[in-house]
Amino acid sequence: MALHGLALPNSQVVLSAACTRPPVTAGRPSRARFVFSSTTVNRKLIVSSSSINNPYTAAGGMEVAAGEDAHELKLLGTWRSPFAMRVRLALHFKGLGYEYQEEDLANKSDLLLASNPVKKEVPVLIHNGVPICESLAILEYIDEVYHGIGPSLLPADSYQRARARFWAAYIDNKLIAPWWKMFVGKTDKEQDEGTKQTLASVEMLEGALRECSKGKPFFGGDNVGYVDAVLGGMVAWMQGTKVLCGVELLHATKTPLLLAWMEHFGELEPAKLVLPDVDRLVEFAKMKRAQRTRI
């Protein structure tokens, strides 16, 4: 899902092979390698990560020529998309090796257009040639297909899973959608309404975190889970909101739990690897807003 496309369909979209699951080999090696590629630069960065003991740690990387390694998972995204970021975060949390292709949304690749012909948006996860679209659907797909590999994103309990799905959808529909209206609203009234709705949603998520975490650092408890990954994709944008919109989303008095959550989340290695520099994100967003072009 691209940042400008905020409507979240109820159904999960899996294109080309909805009934055929790509084969997965159990007992994947403990060393996962992450391959980052660019549509404009024919180089890749491989980062090694251990999924034993601490699945969130990562070591340094090295550059290799493109095509040197073949990976069954490939992600099409953009560095600033919160929807692509949440998928990358989930892949790192699970300790899965993948190839990442940065898309130019002004000049979309043939692979993106062929992989998501319905919306032509990122993110798209390609698993053994099969494209899966929509970030929430991708997260659930990763967790189901790679069950038992790395930490689970969704809880085992049916009620807890349903609750996690509810709050994930809430983040998309009640937080990100009005946030976008606050950021690019055409009138003061539209921006004010977006601000009001966004702040109300943040306060609601404060209560959700209190209920779900039961005094622990994350929505998932001691470890990050589905909701953490979903909201984690918005961390950099939330941090840049004061500069972009003149609004402080998180307060030590009103939302102390979310403020602590963001601090804990930002210290995780996957977050350090995936989340963009806030200043870079803000400058890019301000430029695009001035040009009235798509972010």
Side-chain angles (χ1 to χ4, degrees):
M1 182 184 289
L3 185 57
H4 79 297
L6 296 167
L8 178 67
N10 291 326
S11 60
Q12 296 181 353
V13 181
V14 180
L15 300 178
S16 302
C19 298
T20 304
R21 178 187 297 177
V24 178
T25 302
R28 177 177 298 275
S30 62
R31 302 294 294 179
R33 300 207 293 173
F34 306 92
V35 183
F36 302 90
S37 67
S38 168
T39 55
T40 56
V41 181
N42 190 34
R43 302 292 290 176
K44 295 181 181 178
L45 177 67
I46 293 181
V47 181
S48 297
S49 173
S50 172
S51 61
I52 293 180
N53 297 327
N54 184 355
Y56 306 146
T57 59
M62 63 178 183
E63 275 197 299
V64 298
E68 215 172 286
D69 281 81
H71 287 257
E72 64 182 15
L73 289 172
K74 183 169 187 173
L75 177 64
L76 312 182
T78 66
W79 66 273
R80 71 260 186 193
S81 166
F83 307 103
M85 277 185 252
R86 65 176 53 157
V87 175
R88 292 183 62 193
L89 286 165
L91 289 167
H92 281 263
F93 289 139
K94 293 286 284 183
L96 298 172
Y98 68 101
E99 179 182 345
Y100 175 71
Q101 177 170 302
E102 179 72 18
E103 286 287 333
D104 178 359
L105 298 183
N107 184 27
K108 297 172 184 176
S109 70
D110 292 339
L111 179 59
L112 173 59
L113 297 176
S115 300
N116 190 0
V118 177
K119 290 192 172 182
K120 303 177 177 63
E121 295 175 347
V122 297
V124 176
L125 181 70
I126 302 174
H127 185 197
N128 288 342
V130 178
I132 304 97
C133 306
E134 297 290 336
S135 60
L136 297 185
I138 293 171
L139 293 190
E140 294 204 33
Y141 180 87
I142 291 169
D143 207 37
E144 179 182 350
V145 172
Y146 292 96
H147 178 70
I149 299 174
S152 294
L153 298 176
L154 282 162
D157 178 76
S158 297
Y159 171 72
Q160 300 298 334
R161 280 202 309 276
R163 186 169 65 168
R165 290 183 177 117
F166 172 85
W167 287 116
Y170 183 90
I171 289 167
D172 277 1
N173 297 326
K174 300 298 184 180
L175 175 68
I176 298 180
W179 185 96
W180 183 244
K181 187 188 298 183
M182 174 176 64
F183 176 57
V184 297
K186 295 180 180 179
T187 65
D188 290 342
K189 182 179 180 181
E190 187 176 0
Q191 291 176 10
D192 290 344
E193 183 62 26
T195 300
K196 181 180 178 181
Q197 293 174 4
T198 302
L199 291 173
S201 297
V202 168
E203 290 190 21
M204 188 66 71
L205 285 171
E206 175 79 3
L209 178 57
R210 181 181 298 107
E211 179 186 351
C212 295
S213 68
K214 300 187 184 304
K216 295 177 180 178
F218 303 106
F219 284 90
D222 287 319
N223 299 311
V224 294
Y226 185 65
V227 180
D228 296 287
V230 171
L231 186 58
M234 273 295 289
V235 163
W237 284 102
M238 293 172 71
Q239 290 173 332
T241 297
K242 185 173 183 179
V243 176
L244 291 172
C245 308
V247 177
E248 190 77 66
L249 288 185
L250 303 182
H251 300 267
T253 53
K254 292 184 179 180
T255 56
L257 297 181
L258 279 174
L259 205 58
W261 172 87
M262 186 175 289
E263 182 178 348
H264 288 304
F265 192 89
E267 291 301 312
L268 299 174
E269 286 300 325
K272 293 177 181 179
L273 287 169
V274 171
L275 298 184
D277 177 77
V278 176
D279 291 338
R280 179 193 178 200
L281 188 68
V282 166
E283 289 307 309
F284 179 86
K286 289 165 66 175
M287 177 191 69
K288 288 294 185 179
R289 183 166 57 184
Q291 296 173 348
R292 296 185 180 278
T293 55
R294 174 184 178 177
I295 289 187

XYZ file of all heavy atoms in Angstrom, residues 146-225:
631
model
N 6.092 -18.917 7.515
C 7.324 -19.152 8.255
C 7.035 -19.386 9.733
O 7.797 -18.960 10.604
C 8.283 -17.981 8.058
C 8.797 -17.891 6.635
C 8.191 -17.036 5.719
C 9.858 -18.677 6.206
C 8.639 -16.959 4.414
C 10.321 -18.614 4.909
C 9.701 -17.750 4.009
O 10.147 -17.679 2.716
N 5.955 -20.060 9.996
C 5.599 -20.417 11.369
C 6.690 -21.294 11.973
O 7.143 -22.259 11.377
C 4.273 -21.182 11.380
C 3.847 -21.625 12.753
N 3.421 -20.732 13.711
C 3.817 -22.855 13.329
C 3.126 -21.397 14.807
N 3.361 -22.683 14.607
N 7.144 -20.918 13.170
C 8.198 -21.687 13.825
C 9.583 -21.202 13.499
O 10.565 -21.686 14.074
N 9.691 -20.257 12.571
C 10.984 -19.661 12.237
C 11.008 -18.251 12.805
O 10.216 -17.394 12.392
C 11.210 -19.633 10.709
C 11.217 -21.058 10.145
C 12.515 -18.917 10.375
C 11.299 -21.127 8.643
N 11.870 -18.012 13.780
C 11.894 -16.711 14.420
C 10.663 -16.523 15.297
O 9.817 -17.406 15.426
N 10.523 -15.362 15.913
C 9.384 -15.113 16.801
C 8.088 -14.977 16.010
O 8.086 -14.475 14.885
C 9.751 -13.785 17.479
C 10.674 -13.112 16.509
C 11.447 -14.202 15.847
N 6.980 -15.418 16.597
C 5.671 -15.257 15.955
C 5.225 -13.815 16.084
O 5.444 -13.163 17.109
C 4.636 -16.174 16.615
O 4.957 -17.527 16.394
N 4.589 -13.319 15.041
C 4.056 -11.960 15.075
C 2.665 -11.953 15.704
O 2.361 -11.132 16.563
C 4.006 -11.378 13.663
C 5.356 -11.231 12.942
C 5.146 -10.726 11.525
C 6.283 -10.287 13.719
N 1.811 -12.862 15.258
C 0.454 -12.945 15.797
C 0.406 -13.912 16.971
O 1.084 -14.945 16.958
C -0.515 -13.398 14.710
C -0.929 -12.305 13.714
C -1.513 -12.923 12.456
C -1.916 -11.332 14.338
N -0.399 -13.614 17.983
C -0.500 -14.509 19.146
C -1.123 -15.849 18.769
O -1.851 -15.960 17.773
C -1.420 -13.734 20.103
C -1.460 -12.335 19.600
C -1.229 -12.417 18.127
N -0.856 -16.856 19.580
C -1.435 -18.183 19.347
C -2.915 -18.212 19.708
O -3.700 -18.911 19.069
C -0.677 -19.223 20.167
N -3.313 -17.452 20.705
C -4.699 -17.422 21.152
C -5.586 -16.719 20.129
O -5.254 -15.639 19.637
C -4.782 -16.688 22.491
C -6.207 -16.582 22.999
O -6.731 -17.594 23.492
O -6.793 -15.489 22.876
N -6.731 -17.319 19.795
C -7.617 -16.798 18.757
C -8.129 -15.398 19.080
O -8.181 -14.520 18.213
C -8.800 -17.743 18.545
O -8.363 -18.994 18.088
N -8.523 -15.176 20.334
C -9.029 -13.865 20.720
C -7.932 -12.807 20.622
O -8.166 -11.695 20.121
C -9.580 -13.904 22.144
C -9.915 -12.523 22.666
C -11.021 -11.828 22.178
C -9.105 -11.905 23.618
C -11.313 -10.552 22.630
C -9.396 -10.636 24.077
C -10.497 -9.952 23.585
O -10.780 -8.690 24.024
N -6.723 -13.145 21.085
C -5.622 -12.196 21.024
C -5.256 -11.874 19.575
O -4.910 -10.737 19.252
C -4.396 -12.756 21.761
C -4.621 -13.045 23.235
C -4.973 -11.799 24.033
O -4.612 -10.692 23.664
N -5.695 -11.978 25.133
N -5.356 -12.881 18.692
C -5.088 -12.644 17.271
C -6.114 -11.679 16.688
O -5.779 -10.754 15.943
C -5.123 -13.949 16.475
C -3.867 -14.761 16.561
C -3.737 -15.730 15.379
N -4.926 -16.541 15.175
C -5.189 -17.661 15.815
N -4.336 -18.091 16.751
N -6.271 -18.355 15.556
N -7.380 -11.908 17.031
C -8.438 -11.037 16.526
C -8.229 -9.611 17.021
O -8.424 -8.638 16.279
C -9.803 -11.560 16.969
N -7.832 -9.474 18.278
C -7.603 -8.145 18.840
C -6.426 -7.455 18.146
O -6.488 -6.253 17.847
C -7.356 -8.246 20.343
C -7.258 -6.897 21.027
C -7.272 -7.005 22.535
N -6.101 -7.702 23.045
C -5.762 -7.730 24.333
N -6.532 -7.124 25.230
N -4.700 -8.375 24.735
N -5.366 -8.208 17.863
C -4.212 -7.638 17.164
C -4.607 -7.166 15.767
O -4.199 -6.083 15.324
C -3.087 -8.673 17.077
N -5.423 -7.956 15.069
C -5.886 -7.553 13.734
C -6.736 -6.289 13.809
O -6.664 -5.418 12.932
C -6.680 -8.695 13.090
C -5.825 -9.903 12.700
C -6.670 -10.947 12.009
N -5.866 -12.076 11.576
C -6.014 -13.320 12.031
N -6.939 -13.587 12.948
N -5.253 -14.297 11.578
N -7.554 -6.203 14.855
C -8.406 -5.026 15.028
C -7.551 -3.767 15.156
O -7.795 -2.756 14.480
C -9.289 -5.179 16.267
C -10.046 -3.928 16.623
C -11.263 -3.647 16.029
C -9.525 -3.018 17.545
C -11.951 -2.484 16.337
C -10.209 -1.854 17.859
C -11.433 -1.586 17.256
N -6.532 -3.813 16.018
C -5.728 -2.625 16.240
C -4.846 -2.307 15.040
O -4.551 -1.123 14.774
C -4.903 -2.769 17.509
C -5.736 -2.651 18.744
C -5.965 -3.606 19.690
C -6.491 -1.492 19.151
N -6.815 -3.127 20.662
C -7.152 -1.829 20.358
C -6.671 -0.218 18.624
C -7.970 -0.928 21.027
C -7.489 0.677 19.296
C -8.126 0.325 20.478
N -4.433 -3.310 14.296
C -3.665 -3.058 13.077
C -4.523 -2.305 12.062
O -4.073 -1.320 11.453
C -3.169 -4.375 12.481
N -5.755 -2.755 11.871
C -6.668 -2.059 10.964
C -6.978 -0.654 11.483
O -7.122 0.294 10.701
C -7.949 -2.866 10.788
N -7.080 -0.528 12.803
C -7.341 0.780 13.408
C -6.213 1.758 13.078
O -6.457 2.929 12.760
C -7.481 0.619 14.923
C -7.822 1.906 15.641
C -9.148 2.268 15.847
C -6.821 2.757 16.113
C -9.474 3.449 16.501
C -7.133 3.936 16.774
C -8.465 4.276 16.959
O -8.782 5.449 17.589
N -4.988 1.301 13.146
C -3.841 2.151 12.835
C -3.926 2.667 11.402
O -3.705 3.855 11.139
C -2.529 1.390 13.068
C -2.307 1.187 14.571
C -1.332 2.123 12.452
C -1.229 0.184 14.910
N -4.282 1.792 10.470
C -4.383 2.215 9.070
C -5.540 3.186 8.847
O -5.384 4.218 8.195
C -4.555 0.992 8.167
C -3.231 0.334 7.824
O -2.186 0.817 8.293
O -3.237 -0.653 7.078
N -6.699 2.844 9.387
C -7.914 3.599 9.083
C -8.127 4.822 9.960
O -8.701 5.816 9.508
C -9.128 2.678 9.199
C -9.082 1.553 8.190
O -8.595 1.723 7.076
N -9.578 0.390 8.573
N -7.695 4.752 11.214
C -7.999 5.816 12.165
C -6.789 6.650 12.581
O -6.952 7.700 13.204
C -8.649 5.225 13.424
C -9.952 4.489 13.161
C -11.031 5.414 12.589
C -12.366 4.691 12.422
N -13.406 5.604 11.873
N -5.593 6.189 12.267
C -4.397 6.973 12.582
C -3.748 7.501 11.302
O -3.608 8.709 11.121
C -3.382 6.142 13.370
C -2.044 6.862 13.644
C -2.252 8.027 14.620
C -0.991 5.899 14.181
N -3.386 6.606 10.392
C -2.654 7.031 9.200
C -3.540 7.844 8.260
O -3.095 8.868 7.710
C -2.055 5.810 8.473
C -1.056 5.090 9.393
C -1.370 6.248 7.183
C -0.404 3.875 8.774
N -4.782 7.445 8.077
C -5.665 8.171 7.164
C -5.868 9.628 7.597
O -5.670 10.545 6.791
C -7.000 7.445 7.030
N -6.245 9.905 8.846
C -6.373 11.309 9.247
C -5.023 12.026 9.342
O -4.949 13.239 9.130
C -7.071 11.230 10.608
C -6.811 9.872 11.115
C -6.752 8.998 9.904
N -3.956 11.292 9.680
C -2.622 11.908 9.677
C -2.313 12.459 8.300
O -1.795 13.579 8.160
C -1.563 10.894 10.089
C -0.187 11.490 10.221
C 0.406 11.924 11.367
C 0.752 11.735 9.167
N 1.670 12.423 11.092
C 1.900 12.326 9.747
C 0.738 11.522 7.787
C 3.019 12.704 9.001
C 1.848 11.910 7.035
C 2.974 12.483 7.639
N -2.636 11.697 7.276
C -2.391 12.135 5.898
C -3.218 13.381 5.570
O -2.754 14.316 4.928
C -2.728 10.993 4.950
C -2.463 11.288 3.509
C -3.374 11.364 2.504
C -1.192 11.543 2.906
N -2.750 11.652 1.313
C -1.414 11.764 1.538
C 0.112 11.610 3.405
C -0.377 12.061 0.641
C 1.140 11.899 2.512
C 0.893 12.114 1.152
N -4.462 13.403 6.063
C -5.328 14.574 5.860
C -4.737 15.799 6.572
O -4.761 16.906 6.041
C -6.725 14.284 6.409
C -7.747 15.373 6.101
C -9.045 15.112 6.845
C -9.691 13.809 6.435
N -11.005 13.613 7.127
N -4.194 15.583 7.752
C -3.551 16.657 8.507
C -2.345 17.201 7.751
O -2.080 18.409 7.747
C -3.127 16.132 9.879
C -2.316 17.089 10.726
S -1.952 16.444 12.388
C -0.927 15.015 12.004
N -1.624 16.331 7.079
C -0.391 16.702 6.393
C -0.635 17.414 5.068
O 0.024 18.403 4.745
C 0.470 15.456 6.187
C 1.724 15.691 5.397
C 2.650 16.639 5.805
C 1.979 14.965 4.254
C 3.805 16.857 5.071
C 3.131 15.172 3.521
C 4.049 16.118 3.926
N -1.600 16.936 4.289
C -1.788 17.481 2.937
C -3.187 18.052 2.713
O -3.572 18.288 1.567
C -1.510 16.400 1.857
C -0.074 15.943 1.913
C -2.461 15.219 2.000
N -3.949 18.277 3.770
C -5.286 18.827 3.601
C -5.272 20.122 2.797
O -4.399 20.978 2.985
N -6.243 20.286 1.913
C -6.263 21.445 1.014
C -6.765 22.707 1.702
O -6.500 23.818 1.248
C -7.133 21.128 -0.206
C -6.567 20.011 -1.069
C -7.461 19.728 -2.267
C -6.890 18.608 -3.122
N -7.761 18.302 -4.290
N -7.506 22.544 2.792
C -8.032 23.699 3.518
C -7.651 23.595 4.986
O -7.322 22.505 5.491
C -9.563 23.769 3.400
O -10.138 22.614 4.051
C -9.997 23.795 1.935
N -7.705 24.744 5.691
C -7.426 24.736 7.123
C -8.415 23.840 7.857
O -8.045 23.135 8.813
C -7.505 26.156 7.683
C -6.344 27.029 7.214
O -5.335 26.464 6.752
O -6.460 28.262 7.297
N -9.668 23.866 7.413
C -10.692 23.044 8.050
C -10.362 21.563 7.913
O -10.482 20.791 8.877
C -12.056 23.334 7.440
C -13.193 22.550 8.083
C -14.534 22.908 7.454
C -15.662 22.112 8.099
N -16.980 22.434 7.478
N -9.917 21.162 6.728
C -9.574 19.759 6.495
C -8.372 19.352 7.333
O -8.347 18.267 7.928
C -9.287 19.525 5.008
C -9.088 18.072 4.642
C -8.894 17.850 3.153
O -8.908 18.844 2.395
O -8.723 16.682 2.745
N -7.383 20.221 7.412
C -6.202 19.926 8.213
C -6.538 19.863 9.699
O -6.049 18.982 10.418
C -5.131 20.980 7.958
C -4.534 20.919 6.557
C -3.545 22.037 6.304
O -3.160 22.765 7.216
N -3.132 22.184 5.046
N -7.385 20.787 10.148
C -7.780 20.793 11.559
C -8.550 19.527 11.927
O -8.362 18.964 13.012
C -8.637 22.024 11.867
C -7.825 23.313 11.835
O -6.580 23.230 11.875
O -8.438 24.394 11.751
N -9.411 19.095 11.025
C -10.173 17.875 11.276
C -9.244 16.666 11.317
O -9.390 15.772 12.160
C -11.237 17.679 10.191
C -12.136 16.467 10.380
C -12.949 16.529 11.664
O -13.221 17.655 12.159
O -13.301 15.464 12.189
N -8.262 16.652 10.403
C -7.275 15.579 10.420
C -6.478 15.555 11.710
O -6.209 14.491 12.279
N -6.101 16.727 12.187
C -5.353 16.829 13.443
C -6.176 16.309 14.609
O -5.683 15.534 15.441
C -4.952 18.293 13.699
O -4.138 18.766 12.623
C -4.188 18.416 15.016
N -7.428 16.729 14.683
C -8.314 16.307 15.760
C -8.473 14.787 15.778
O -8.375 14.144 16.829
C -9.672 16.987 15.598
C -10.684 16.631 16.680
C -12.005 17.357 16.432
C -13.058 16.975 17.469
N -14.357 17.659 17.210
N -8.700 14.199 14.601
C -8.888 12.753 14.511
C -7.604 11.998 14.846
O -7.637 10.951 15.501
C -9.381 12.384 13.108
C -10.768 12.892 12.780
C -11.155 12.617 11.338
O -10.423 11.981 10.591
N -12.318 13.114 10.934
N -6.473 12.529 14.391
C -5.194 11.867 14.650
C -4.879 11.845 16.142
O -4.475 10.809 16.689
C -4.057 12.572 13.887
O -4.342 12.572 12.490
C -2.728 11.872 14.132
N -5.058 12.978 16.815
C -4.779 13.044 18.247
C -5.710 12.133 19.036
O -5.288 11.496 20.015
C -4.903 14.491 18.732
C -3.809 15.450 18.226
C -4.119 16.889 18.636
C -2.440 15.029 18.742
N -6.972 12.057 18.614
C -7.914 11.153 19.285
C -7.482 9.702 19.108
O -7.580 8.884 20.042
C -9.321 11.368 18.735
N -6.980 9.378 17.926
C -6.526 8.011 17.654
C -5.293 7.667 18.471
O -5.143 6.536 18.948
C -6.237 7.845 16.161
O -7.407 8.023 15.400
N -4.391 8.618 18.632
C -3.188 8.394 19.436
C -3.571 8.090 20.880
O -3.019 7.171 21.511
C -2.251 9.615 19.356
C -1.154 9.516 20.410
C -1.629 9.711 17.967
N -4.525 8.840 21.422
C -4.971 8.578 22.792
C -5.627 7.204 22.908
O -5.457 6.505 23.915
C -5.935 9.679 23.240
C -5.264 11.029 23.467
C -6.172 12.034 24.140
O -7.156 11.606 24.793
O -5.906 13.242 24.028
N -6.347 6.806 21.880
C -6.967 5.479 21.883
C -5.894 4.389 21.849
O -6.005 3.360 22.535
C -7.900 5.333 20.685
C -8.745 4.078 20.696
S -9.958 4.036 22.031
C -11.115 5.294 21.466
N -4.836 4.617 21.075
C -3.754 3.639 21.003
C -2.973 3.566 22.306
O -2.413 2.524 22.644
C -2.818 3.982 19.833
C -3.352 3.653 18.443
C -2.442 4.234 17.368
C -3.492 2.144 18.257
N -2.936 4.666 23.047
C -2.320 4.635 24.377
C -3.050 3.626 25.260
O -2.428 2.817 25.958
C -2.370 6.037 25.005
C -1.868 6.105 26.439
C -0.358 6.112 26.575
O 0.338 6.127 25.537
O 0.131 6.116 27.719
N -4.375 3.669 25.203
C -5.157 2.707 25.975
C -4.992 1.288 25.472
O -4.946 0.334 26.256
N -4.880 1.139 24.149
C -4.683 -0.192 23.571
C -3.357 -0.783 24.006
O -3.259 -1.982 24.315
C -4.737 -0.110 22.043
N -2.328 0.047 24.045
C -1.016 -0.423 24.482
C -1.062 -0.846 25.945
O -0.488 -1.874 26.331
C 0.031 0.672 24.266
C 1.452 0.363 24.726
C 1.996 -0.898 24.062
C 2.377 1.553 24.429
N -1.756 -0.082 26.758
C -1.882 -0.431 28.172
C -2.558 -1.791 28.325
O -2.131 -2.637 29.127
C -2.693 0.644 28.910
C -2.862 0.364 30.409
C -3.686 1.444 31.090
N -3.042 2.748 31.012
C -3.449 3.745 30.231
N -4.525 3.584 29.448
N -2.815 4.886 30.220
N -3.604 -2.017 27.537
C -4.363 -3.268 27.633
C -3.578 -4.443 27.071
O -3.555 -5.524 27.672
C -5.684 -3.114 26.879
C -6.547 -4.354 26.886
C -7.775 -4.194 25.998
O -8.038 -3.069 25.529
O -8.454 -5.202 25.765
N -2.944 -4.249 25.927
C -2.275 -5.366 25.248
C -0.941 -5.731 25.883
O -0.570 -6.904 25.939
C -2.056 -5.029 23.769
S -3.568 -4.827 22.794
N -0.201 -4.728 26.337
C 1.149 -4.989 26.845
C 1.159 -5.543 28.262
O 2.106 -6.226 28.652
C 1.964 -3.686 26.820
O 1.457 -2.764 27.770
N 0.117 -5.218 29.027
C 0.044 -5.648 30.431
C 1.307 -5.270 31.204
O 1.907 -6.072 31.919
C -0.215 -7.151 30.517
C -1.525 -7.564 29.852
C -1.848 -9.005 30.098
C -3.104 -9.432 29.351
N -4.286 -8.606 29.658
N 1.743 -4.025 31.007
C 2.888 -3.499 31.737
C 4.232 -3.816 31.119
O 5.265 -3.425 31.664
N 4.254 -4.500 29.989
C 5.510 -4.841 29.319
C 5.785 -3.840 28.195
O 4.936 -3.012 27.871
C 5.444 -6.285 28.831
C 5.353 -7.245 30.021
C 5.222 -8.683 29.609
C 5.141 -9.591 30.848
N 4.971 -11.006 30.503
N 6.949 -3.892 27.555
C 7.349 -2.791 26.663
C 6.562 -2.673 25.358
O 6.455 -1.584 24.812
C 8.824 -3.104 26.361
C 9.264 -4.036 27.432
C 8.056 -4.824 27.800
N 6.012 -3.796 24.850
C 5.458 -3.774 23.501
C 3.994 -4.215 23.477
O 3.503 -4.818 24.432
C 6.283 -4.684 22.582
C 7.742 -4.318 22.525
C 8.687 -5.093 23.169
C 8.161 -3.197 21.835
C 10.030 -4.763 23.123
C 9.501 -2.847 21.780
C 10.444 -3.631 22.430
N 3.338 -3.939 22.371
C 1.976 -4.439 22.182
C 1.966 -5.958 22.284
O 0.993 -6.556 22.743
C 1.431 -4.015 20.816
C 1.015 -2.578 20.736
C 1.916 -1.600 20.352
C -0.291 -2.196 21.022
C 1.537 -0.269 20.259
C -0.696 -0.873 20.940
C 0.223 0.099 20.563
N 3.057 -6.582 21.849
C 3.176 -8.029 21.905
C 3.660 -8.547 23.249
O 3.860 -9.755 23.409
N 3.866 -7.664 24.218
C 4.341 -8.092 25.537
C 5.832 -7.849 25.682
O 6.320 -6.736 25.471
N 6.558 -8.898 26.027
C 8.011 -8.767 26.158
C 8.689 -8.584 24.815
O 9.771 -7.989 24.730
C 8.592 -10.008 26.854
C 8.262 -10.047 28.339
O 8.332 -8.974 28.976
O 7.923 -11.129 28.849
N 8.078 -9.146 23.769
C 8.655 -9.076 22.425
C 7.695 -8.368 21.480
O 6.492 -8.318 21.713
C 8.959 -10.480 21.895
C 9.967 -11.217 22.753
O 11.022 -10.679 23.084
N 9.645 -12.442 23.139
N 8.244 -7.839 20.399
C 7.403 -7.172 19.414
C 6.484 -8.186 18.739
O 6.824 -9.364 18.596
C 8.241 -6.443 18.345
C 9.011 -5.302 18.937
C 9.169 -7.411 17.619
N 5.327 -7.719 18.316
C 4.370 -8.558 17.616
C 3.799 -7.833 16.416
O 4.361 -6.848 15.920
